[in-house]
Amino acid sequence: MSVDVSELVRNDAVVTLGEPERAELEALAQDLLRSAPPRIDTTEWVERARDLSTSLPARLRLTLRRFTRDAGPDAVLLLRNLPGYPDGLPDTPMAAGSVQRTATVPAAALALVSLGLGELVSFREEKHGALVHDVVPVPGMEEYQGNAGSVALNMHTENAFHPFRPDFVGLMCLRNDHADIAGLRIASVRRALPLLDDADRALLHQPRYVTAAPASFGENQGLPEAVGVLSGSPEDPDITVDFTSTTPLDDEAAAVLARLRTAIDRVTTTLILAPGDLAFVDNRLALHGRNSFQPYYDGRDRWLQRAFVHRDLRRSRALRPADGPVVHGTP
Ligand SMILES: O=C(O)CCC(=O)C(=O)O
Ligand SMILES: [Fe+2]
Protein backbone atom coordinates (compact mmCIF):
# COMPACT_ATOMS: atom_id res chain seq x y z
CA MET A 1 0.00 0.00 0.00
CA SER A 2 2.85 2.31 -0.72
CA VAL A 3 1.72 5.87 -1.32
CA ASP A 4 2.69 7.37 -4.66
CA VAL A 5 3.16 10.95 -5.69
CA SER A 6 -0.29 11.13 -7.33
CA GLU A 7 -1.80 10.50 -3.89
CA LEU A 8 0.31 13.31 -2.46
CA VAL A 9 -1.04 15.54 -5.23
CA ARG A 10 -4.62 14.56 -4.34
CA ASN A 11 -3.93 15.44 -0.70
CA ASP A 12 -2.60 18.92 -1.61
CA ALA A 13 0.88 17.85 -0.45
CA VAL A 14 2.45 18.86 -3.78
CA VAL A 15 2.49 22.49 -4.82
CA THR A 16 4.18 23.53 -8.05
CA LEU A 17 5.10 27.19 -8.22
CA GLY A 18 3.79 28.89 -11.34
CA GLU A 19 6.32 30.91 -13.34
CA PRO A 20 5.22 34.26 -11.78
CA GLU A 21 5.53 32.72 -8.29
CA ARG A 22 8.95 31.33 -9.09
CA ALA A 23 10.01 34.76 -10.38
CA GLU A 24 8.67 36.43 -7.22
CA LEU A 25 10.63 34.02 -5.02
CA GLU A 26 13.77 34.54 -7.08
CA ALA A 27 13.38 38.33 -6.78
CA LEU A 28 13.02 38.01 -2.98
CA ALA A 29 16.14 35.81 -2.87
CA GLN A 30 18.04 38.39 -4.96
CA ASP A 31 16.84 41.16 -2.63
CA LEU A 32 18.17 39.14 0.32
CA LEU A 33 21.56 38.68 -1.40
CA ARG A 34 21.76 42.43 -2.03
CA SER A 35 20.52 43.71 1.32
CA ALA A 36 21.98 41.28 3.89
CA PRO A 37 25.61 40.59 4.81
CA PRO A 38 27.02 37.86 2.51
CA ARG A 39 27.44 35.32 5.28
CA ILE A 40 24.33 33.24 5.98
CA ASP A 41 25.20 32.32 9.53
CA THR A 42 24.71 35.71 11.14
CA THR A 43 21.82 37.12 13.13
CA GLU A 44 21.54 40.01 10.65
CA TRP A 45 21.19 37.68 7.67
CA VAL A 46 18.49 35.60 9.35
CA GLU A 47 16.63 38.74 10.49
CA ARG A 48 16.59 40.14 6.98
CA ALA A 49 15.52 36.76 5.58
CA ARG A 50 12.72 36.49 8.15
CA ASP A 51 11.42 39.96 7.26
CA LEU A 52 11.50 39.18 3.53
CA SER A 53 9.77 35.83 4.09
CA THR A 54 6.60 37.73 4.97
CA SER A 55 6.50 38.78 1.29
CA LEU A 56 6.57 35.24 -0.11
CA PRO A 57 3.94 34.62 -2.81
CA ALA A 58 0.51 34.50 -1.13
CA ARG A 59 -0.36 30.94 -2.23
CA LEU A 60 2.97 29.72 -0.87
CA ARG A 61 2.39 31.46 2.48
CA LEU A 62 -1.06 29.88 2.69
CA THR A 63 0.38 26.43 1.90
CA LEU A 64 3.10 26.76 4.53
CA ARG A 65 0.72 28.10 7.15
CA ARG A 66 -1.66 25.18 6.65
CA PHE A 67 1.19 22.66 6.71
CA THR A 68 2.36 23.93 10.11
CA ARG A 69 -1.12 23.31 11.52
CA ASP A 70 -1.59 19.86 10.01
CA ALA A 71 1.02 18.08 7.94
CA GLY A 72 -1.61 15.70 6.56
CA PRO A 73 -1.60 11.90 6.29
CA ASP A 74 1.91 11.73 4.79
CA ALA A 75 3.44 14.53 6.88
CA VAL A 76 5.35 15.85 3.91
CA LEU A 77 5.05 18.91 1.69
CA LEU A 78 6.66 18.87 -1.74
CA LEU A 79 7.19 22.28 -3.34
CA ARG A 80 8.30 22.25 -6.98
CA ASN A 81 9.85 24.69 -9.42
CA LEU A 82 11.96 26.69 -6.97
CA PRO A 83 14.63 28.96 -8.46
CA GLY A 84 18.13 27.56 -8.95
CA TYR A 85 21.46 29.21 -9.72
CA PRO A 86 20.72 31.94 -12.32
CA ASP A 87 24.07 31.47 -14.08
CA GLY A 88 24.20 27.68 -14.21
CA LEU A 89 24.72 25.08 -11.55
CA PRO A 90 28.28 24.72 -10.22
CA ASP A 91 29.91 21.34 -9.64
CA THR A 92 28.52 19.27 -6.79
CA PRO A 93 30.76 19.71 -3.73
CA MET A 94 32.41 16.53 -2.45
CA ALA A 95 34.12 17.57 0.77
CA ALA A 96 32.93 16.01 4.02
CA GLY A 97 30.85 18.46 6.07
CA SER A 98 30.23 20.78 3.11
CA VAL A 99 27.88 23.68 3.86
CA GLN A 100 26.66 26.92 2.28
CA ARG A 101 28.26 29.79 4.18
CA THR A 102 27.76 32.47 1.55
CA ALA A 103 24.28 33.05 0.24
CA THR A 104 23.27 32.05 -3.28
CA VAL A 105 19.83 32.19 -4.90
CA PRO A 106 18.87 28.59 -4.04
CA ALA A 107 20.22 28.74 -0.47
CA ALA A 108 18.40 32.07 0.04
CA ALA A 109 15.18 30.60 -1.40
CA LEU A 110 15.48 27.60 0.93
CA ALA A 111 15.96 29.92 3.92
CA LEU A 112 13.06 32.20 2.91
CA VAL A 113 10.62 29.32 2.49
CA SER A 114 11.84 27.64 5.70
CA LEU A 115 11.22 30.88 7.60
CA GLY A 116 7.63 30.65 6.38
CA LEU A 117 7.31 27.52 8.56
CA GLY A 118 9.14 28.70 11.68
CA GLU A 119 12.67 29.54 12.76
CA LEU A 120 15.91 28.27 11.24
CA VAL A 121 17.98 26.23 13.66
CA SER A 122 21.19 24.21 13.53
CA PHE A 123 23.46 22.15 15.81
CA ARG A 124 27.01 23.18 16.69
CA GLU A 125 28.17 19.55 16.58
CA GLU A 126 26.79 18.98 13.10
CA LYS A 127 28.19 20.71 9.98
CA HIS A 128 29.77 23.31 12.30
CA GLY A 129 26.40 24.85 13.12
CA ALA A 130 25.79 26.09 9.56
CA LEU A 131 22.16 26.85 8.72
CA VAL A 132 22.23 25.51 5.14
CA HIS A 133 23.89 22.11 4.67
CA ASP A 134 24.97 20.35 1.51
CA VAL A 135 23.76 16.76 1.29
CA VAL A 136 26.23 15.15 -1.11
CA PRO A 137 28.03 11.82 -1.46
CA VAL A 138 31.58 11.98 -0.10
CA PRO A 139 34.46 9.83 -1.43
CA GLY A 140 35.33 7.04 0.99
CA MET A 141 32.06 7.42 2.93
CA GLU A 142 29.89 5.28 0.64
CA GLU A 143 28.81 2.90 3.43
CA TYR A 144 28.17 5.63 6.00
CA GLN A 145 24.71 5.73 7.64
CA GLY A 146 24.40 9.46 7.21
CA ASN A 147 23.86 11.86 4.38
CA ALA A 148 27.45 11.60 3.06
CA GLY A 149 26.84 7.94 2.16
CA SER A 150 25.40 6.44 -1.00
CA VAL A 151 24.20 3.05 0.29
CA ALA A 152 20.58 2.91 1.41
CA LEU A 153 20.10 5.18 4.42
CA ASN A 154 17.85 3.63 7.07
CA MET A 155 14.61 5.36 7.95
CA HIS A 156 15.03 7.82 10.81
CA THR A 157 13.76 10.77 12.73
CA GLU A 158 16.31 13.55 12.19
CA ASN A 159 18.47 13.84 15.34
CA ALA A 160 16.16 11.36 17.09
CA PHE A 161 18.30 11.40 20.25
CA HIS A 162 18.03 15.15 20.73
CA PRO A 163 15.19 16.72 22.74
CA PHE A 164 15.39 19.77 20.45
CA ARG A 165 15.51 17.87 17.18
CA PRO A 166 14.03 19.82 14.25
CA ASP A 167 10.26 20.01 13.84
CA PHE A 168 10.69 20.20 10.06
CA VAL A 169 13.54 19.13 7.78
CA GLY A 170 13.74 20.87 4.40
CA LEU A 171 15.57 19.03 1.60
CA MET A 172 15.97 20.89 -1.68
CA CYS A 173 17.30 19.21 -4.81
CA LEU A 174 19.80 21.00 -7.02
CA ARG A 175 20.87 17.91 -8.99
CA ASN A 176 19.87 14.27 -8.82
CA ASP A 177 22.25 11.34 -9.33
CA HIS A 178 23.42 10.32 -12.81
CA ALA A 179 20.90 7.50 -13.17
CA ASP A 180 18.06 9.56 -11.62
CA ILE A 181 17.22 6.77 -9.19
CA ALA A 182 18.26 8.28 -5.83
CA GLY A 183 15.14 9.05 -3.85
CA LEU A 184 14.19 10.60 -0.57
CA ARG A 185 12.15 7.96 1.24
CA ILE A 186 9.36 9.05 3.57
CA ALA A 187 6.86 7.25 5.78
CA SER A 188 4.41 8.76 8.24
CA VAL A 189 3.30 7.26 11.52
CA ARG A 190 -0.26 8.14 10.47
CA ARG A 191 -0.02 5.64 7.61
CA ALA A 192 1.85 2.96 9.59
CA LEU A 193 -0.23 2.93 12.76
CA PRO A 194 -3.34 1.19 11.34
CA LEU A 195 -1.08 -1.76 10.41
CA LEU A 196 -0.22 -2.44 14.07
CA ASP A 197 -2.45 -4.03 16.69
CA ASP A 198 -3.46 -2.29 19.90
CA ALA A 199 -0.95 -4.15 22.10
CA ASP A 200 1.98 -3.18 19.87
CA ARG A 201 0.84 0.41 19.74
CA ALA A 202 0.56 0.55 23.53
CA LEU A 203 4.00 -0.96 24.02
CA LEU A 204 5.61 1.54 21.65
CA HIS A 205 4.49 4.30 24.06
CA GLN A 206 6.41 2.70 26.93
CA PRO A 207 9.98 3.82 27.83
CA ARG A 208 11.63 0.66 26.52
CA TYR A 209 13.97 2.15 23.89
CA VAL A 210 17.13 4.25 23.88
CA THR A 211 18.65 6.28 21.07
CA ALA A 212 22.28 7.19 21.64
CA ALA A 213 23.79 10.54 20.67
CA PRO A 214 26.60 10.30 18.13
CA ALA A 215 30.09 10.76 19.58
CA SER A 216 30.26 14.19 17.92
CA PHE A 217 27.74 15.48 20.46
CA GLY A 218 30.22 15.02 23.30
CA GLU A 219 31.63 12.28 25.51
CA ASN A 220 30.23 13.39 28.83
CA GLN A 221 26.80 12.06 27.94
CA GLY A 222 25.26 9.82 30.57
CA LEU A 223 23.32 6.79 29.44
CA PRO A 224 20.51 7.95 27.18
CA GLU A 225 17.13 8.10 28.87
CA ALA A 226 14.71 5.27 28.04
CA VAL A 227 11.81 6.63 25.99
CA GLY A 228 8.87 5.45 23.94
CA VAL A 229 9.05 5.36 20.16
CA LEU A 230 5.53 6.79 20.15
CA SER A 231 4.52 9.73 22.31
CA GLY A 232 1.53 11.97 22.85
CA SER A 233 -1.96 11.07 21.73
CA PRO A 234 -2.48 7.30 21.33
CA GLU A 235 -4.78 8.01 18.38
CA ASP A 236 -2.41 10.43 16.59
CA PRO A 237 1.04 10.02 18.19
CA ASP A 238 4.42 11.48 17.35
CA ILE A 239 7.13 9.03 16.32
CA THR A 240 10.82 9.24 17.29
CA VAL A 241 13.04 6.41 16.11
CA ASP A 242 16.18 5.81 14.08
CA PHE A 243 16.46 2.27 12.69
CA THR A 244 20.26 2.61 12.86
CA SER A 245 20.68 3.92 16.39
CA THR A 246 17.57 3.11 18.42
CA THR A 247 18.02 0.07 20.69
CA PRO A 248 15.17 -1.84 22.34
CA LEU A 249 15.81 -2.64 26.02
CA ASP A 250 14.15 -6.08 26.09
CA ASP A 251 13.09 -8.88 23.73
CA GLU A 252 9.43 -7.95 23.61
CA ALA A 253 10.31 -4.33 22.77
CA ALA A 254 12.63 -5.66 20.04
CA ALA A 255 9.88 -7.80 18.47
CA VAL A 256 7.48 -4.86 18.41
CA LEU A 257 10.12 -2.58 16.91
CA ALA A 258 10.65 -5.15 14.14
CA ARG A 259 6.90 -5.15 13.42
CA LEU A 260 6.91 -1.34 13.36
CA ARG A 261 9.74 -1.46 10.86
CA THR A 262 7.76 -3.81 8.61
CA ALA A 263 4.76 -1.49 8.83
CA ILE A 264 6.97 1.52 8.01
CA ASP A 265 8.40 -0.33 5.00
CA ARG A 266 4.92 -1.02 3.72
CA VAL A 267 3.92 2.65 3.74
CA THR A 268 7.19 4.14 2.52
CA THR A 269 7.06 6.42 -0.50
CA THR A 270 10.11 7.21 -2.59
CA LEU A 271 10.31 10.76 -3.91
CA ILE A 272 12.78 11.11 -6.76
CA LEU A 273 13.46 14.78 -6.26
CA ALA A 274 14.18 16.81 -9.40
CA PRO A 275 16.16 20.06 -9.48
CA GLY A 276 13.93 22.79 -8.02
CA ASP A 277 12.03 20.39 -5.73
CA LEU A 278 11.96 21.16 -2.01
CA ALA A 279 10.50 18.55 0.35
CA PHE A 280 9.63 19.44 3.93
CA VAL A 281 9.27 16.46 6.24
CA ASP A 282 7.36 16.91 9.50
CA ASN A 283 10.00 15.32 11.74
CA ARG A 284 7.45 14.61 14.49
CA LEU A 285 5.16 12.51 12.32
CA ALA A 286 7.31 11.12 9.52
CA LEU A 287 10.55 9.21 9.14
CA HIS A 288 12.84 9.72 6.17
CA GLY A 289 15.72 7.89 4.54
CA ARG A 290 17.22 7.38 1.10
CA ASN A 291 17.69 4.52 -1.32
CA SER A 292 21.13 3.66 -2.69
CA PHE A 293 22.76 5.20 -5.74
CA GLN A 294 26.10 5.22 -7.53
CA PRO A 295 28.30 8.28 -6.99
CA TYR A 296 31.01 9.17 -9.54
CA TYR A 297 32.71 12.18 -7.86
CA ASP A 298 32.85 13.98 -11.20
CA GLY A 299 31.05 17.15 -10.10
CA ARG A 300 27.70 15.80 -11.36
CA ASP A 301 26.66 13.80 -8.31
CA ARG A 302 23.43 14.19 -6.38
CA TRP A 303 23.23 17.49 -4.49
CA LEU A 304 20.60 18.51 -1.98
CA GLN A 305 20.64 21.48 0.35
CA ARG A 306 19.10 21.05 3.77
CA ALA A 307 17.73 23.32 6.51
CA PHE A 308 16.10 22.63 9.89
CA VAL A 309 13.10 24.47 11.34
CA HIS A 310 11.79 24.84 14.89
CA ARG A 311 8.23 25.95 15.47
CA ASP A 312 9.01 27.15 19.00
CA LEU A 313 12.56 28.43 19.22
CA ARG A 314 12.07 29.49 22.82
CA ARG A 315 12.01 25.85 23.99
CA SER A 316 15.73 25.41 23.23
CA ARG A 317 16.88 28.80 24.59
CA ALA A 318 19.08 27.29 27.35
CA LEU A 319 21.24 25.61 24.69
CA ARG A 320 21.37 28.59 22.29
CA PRO A 321 23.96 31.14 23.47
CA ALA A 322 23.10 34.77 22.76
CA ASP A 323 19.68 33.65 21.48
CA GLY A 324 21.36 32.64 18.21
CA PRO A 325 20.12 29.87 15.91
CA VAL A 326 22.76 27.30 16.91
CA VAL A 327 21.90 24.64 19.52
CA HIS A 328 25.01 23.67 21.55
CA GLY A 329 25.27 20.10 22.81
CA THR A 330 22.46 18.32 24.61
CA PRO A 331 20.67 19.19 27.89
O1 LIG B 1 19.68 12.00 0.96
C1 LIG B 1 18.51 12.09 1.31
O2 LIG B 1 17.56 12.07 0.48
C2 LIG B 1 18.15 12.25 2.75
C3 LIG B 1 19.37 12.34 3.61
C4 LIG B 1 19.01 12.63 5.03
O3 LIG B 1 18.47 11.85 5.75
C5 LIG B 1 19.30 13.96 5.56
O4 LIG B 1 20.01 14.73 4.91
O5 LIG B 1 18.82 14.28 6.66
FE1 LIG C 1 18.05 12.73 7.71
Side-chain angles (χ1 to χ4, degrees):
M1 117 174 195
S2 112
V3 178
D4 67 20
V5 174
S6 60
E7 176 137 4
L8 297 184
V9 173
R10 267 199 302 285
N11 290 332
D12 295 327
V14 182
V15 172
T16 304
L17 299 190
E19 284 312 314
E21 291 169 322
R22 175 188 163 110
E24 264 182 76
L25 177 53
E26 178 165 353
L28 272 185
Q30 298 279 16
D31 186 346
L32 180 56
L33 301 193
R34 270 194 311 274
S35 59
R39 205 177 142 91
I40 295 181
D41 300 292
T42 59
T43 305
E44 297 72 26
W45 196 90
V46 177
E47 275 173 5
R48 182 72 187 136
R50 183 184 306 106
D51 287 355
L52 286 171
S53 76
T54 64
S55 302
L56 287 168
R59 190 173 67 113
L60 184 52
R61 270 186 288 132
L62 177 73
T63 301
L64 296 168
R65 189 67 185 81
R66 285 181 175 169
F67 184 68
T68 62
R69 172 61 184 89
D70 183 354
D74 295 297
V76 69
L77 173 64
L78 176 58
L79 303 172
R80 313 199 96 154
N81 200 30
L82 268 77
Y85 281 82
D87 302 319
L89 185 56
D91 281 0
T92 298
M94 52 179 116
S98 166
V99 297
Q100 296 290 309
R101 287 291 189 194
T102 307
T104 59
V105 168
L110 172 60
L112 287 164
V113 178
S114 297
L115 284 161
L117 288 175
E119 293 298 329
L120 289 169
V121 69
S122 66
F123 297 85
R124 181 189 59 187
E125 288 75 12
E126 193 177 53
K127 308 253 190 198
H128 310 287
L131 291 173
V132 178
H133 311 154
D134 292 313
V135 174
V136 294
V138 174
M141 296 185 78
E142 291 75 16
E143 309 283 323
Y144 178 65
Q145 276 299 313
N147 64 36
S150 39
V151 296
L153 176 58
N154 288 329
M155 298 298 279
H156 60 278
T157 301
E158 194 66 28
N159 289 346
F161 70 94
H162 203 293
F164 306 132
R165 56 192 165 269
D167 294 324
F168 300 106
V169 177
L171 291 156
M172 183 177 68
C173 180
L174 299 176
R175 175 182 278 137
N176 205 14
D177 66 306
H178 297 71
D180 203 22
I181 56 163
L184 171 68
R185 311 199 75 211
I186 50 150
S188 86
V189 62
R190 288 176 169 169
R191 295 271 184 204
L193 216 53
L195 305 183
L196 297 173
D197 67 26
D198 289 349
D200 282 3
R201 291 168 59 153
L203 188 144
L204 288 165
H205 279 268
Q206 296 169 9
R208 290 165 75 167
Y209 301 90
V210 292
T211 302
S216 56
F217 272 77
E219 303 85 57
N220 58 344
Q221 309 279 324
L223 281 179
E225 191 195 351
V227 291
V229 162
L230 301 181
S231 59
S233 160
E235 69 179 34
D236 184 19
D238 286 5
I239 186 168
T240 311
V241 69
D242 181 333
F243 286 110
T244 303
S245 56
T246 298
T247 309
L249 294 177
D250 59 80
D251 291 347
E252 197 186 9
V256 176
L257 190 66
R259 289 196 286 275
L260 173 67
R261 192 166 186 174
T262 303
I264 289 289
D265 279 348
R266 284 182 57 196
V267 301
T268 295
T269 305
T270 303
L271 297 178
I272 311 280
L273 301 178
D277 283 355
L278 166 53
F280 281 107
V281 179
D282 186 323
N283 198 41
R284 300 157 302 185
L285 291 170
L287 308 182
H288 68 281
R290 187 201 58 240
N291 56 14
S292 64
F293 65 101
Q294 177 67 51
Y296 291 89
Y297 311 122
D298 60 354
R300 297 287 176 275
D301 281 316
R302 183 168 186 259
W303 184 8
L304 308 184
Q305 287 179 354
R306 180 178 74 170
F308 295 151
V309 174
H310 268 181
R311 281 294 291 163
D312 180 0
L313 196 59
R314 187 75 199 151
R315 230 164 45 83
S316 58
R317 178 65 180 85
L319 296 186
R320 290 182 298 97
D323 207 5
V326 185
V327 174
H328 289 217
T330 49

